[in-house]
């Protein structure tokens, strides 16, 4: 049966969520905590900018966002420095560990998919997303 792209996107997202949560559970991290560490590994950000970058992952769920960030603060992985959220030394170490696991996981998930195919899929999804966002009220 030929399914529309929305079906495959939702199914892929659910499968990625489950797989990455299982993978990251070894480090006692959720997928969203990993995404937060990964974004902050590039540079410290203001809370507003971090929120904007990660908003697609929160799905409008402010309680979940607060709980995930509070968990990272409580475990000493993120800190405030000069009004910006930053990784602590522990956060950098945990990011390095998680990055290795996530890269291994990505390699497994994209097995049999060429770099050109992957790049094309990303390009198509990005354009469709921008079109849909432009058309949304």
């Amino acid at each position: 049966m030929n399914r529309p792209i929305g079906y495959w996107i939702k199914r892929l997202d659910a499968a990625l969520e489950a797989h990455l949560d299982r993978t990251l559970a070894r480090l006692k991290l959720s997928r969203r905590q990993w995404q937060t560490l990964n974004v902050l590994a590039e540079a410290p950000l203001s809370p507003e900018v971090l929120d904007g970058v990660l908003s697609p992952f929160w799905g409008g769920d402010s309680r979940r966002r607060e709980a995930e960030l509070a968990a990272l603060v409580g475990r000493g992985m993120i800190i405030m420095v000069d009004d910006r959220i930053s990784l602590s030394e522990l956060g950098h170490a945990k990011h390095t560990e998680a990055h290795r696991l996530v890269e291994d996981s990505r390699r497994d998930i994209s097995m049999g998919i060429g770099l050109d195919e992957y790049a094309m899929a990303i390009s198509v999804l990005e354009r469709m997303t921008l079109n849909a966002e432009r058309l949304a009220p």
Side-chain angles (χ1 to χ4, degrees):
M1 177 176 233
N2 194 7
R3 307 257 187 211
I5 195 165
Y7 169 86
W8 291 110
I9 289 171
K10 288 190 176 288
R11 190 166 160 189
L12 175 60
D13 185 59
L16 287 173
E17 182 100 15
H19 178 70
L20 286 174
D21 276 344
R22 276 192 313 276
T23 298
L24 293 166
R26 294 182 235 170
L27 301 177
K28 297 184 174 136
L29 290 173
S30 71
R31 179 180 178 195
R32 282 159 187 81
Q33 289 169 350
W34 151 251
Q35 288 157 334
T36 303
L37 294 178
N38 198 44
V39 167
L40 292 173
E42 294 179 24
L45 298 173
S46 71
E48 297 79 22
V49 171
L50 180 64
D51 213 26
V53 170
L54 293 175
S55 65
F57 300 108
W58 302 121
D61 189 342
S62 61
R63 285 186 191 164
R64 185 173 198 175
R65 180 190 73 226
E66 295 302 320
E68 298 284 15
L69 292 175
L72 291 172
V73 169
R75 293 176 61 196
M77 288 187 247
I78 61 174
I79 55 176
M80 288 293 287
V81 177
D82 299 327
D83 296 327
R84 293 180 181 267
I85 302 173
S86 179
L87 293 183
S88 66
E89 285 185 38
L90 176 61
H92 279 289
K94 192 62 79 169
H95 172 262
T96 299
E97 273 185 279
H99 188 268
R100 185 177 34 78
L101 290 176
V102 168
E103 285 303 309
D104 289 347
S105 178
R106 285 180 180 157
R107 198 171 22 262
D108 291 343
I109 288 170
S110 60
M111 191 179 312
I113 299 169
L115 293 175
D116 56 335
E117 291 175 292
Y118 185 84
M120 179 63 77
I122 295 298
S123 176
V124 168
L125 290 172
E126 178 182 17
R127 284 179 281 155
M128 288 182 77
T129 299
L130 293 173
N131 288 340
E133 288 173 349
R134 181 178 47 80
L135 296 170

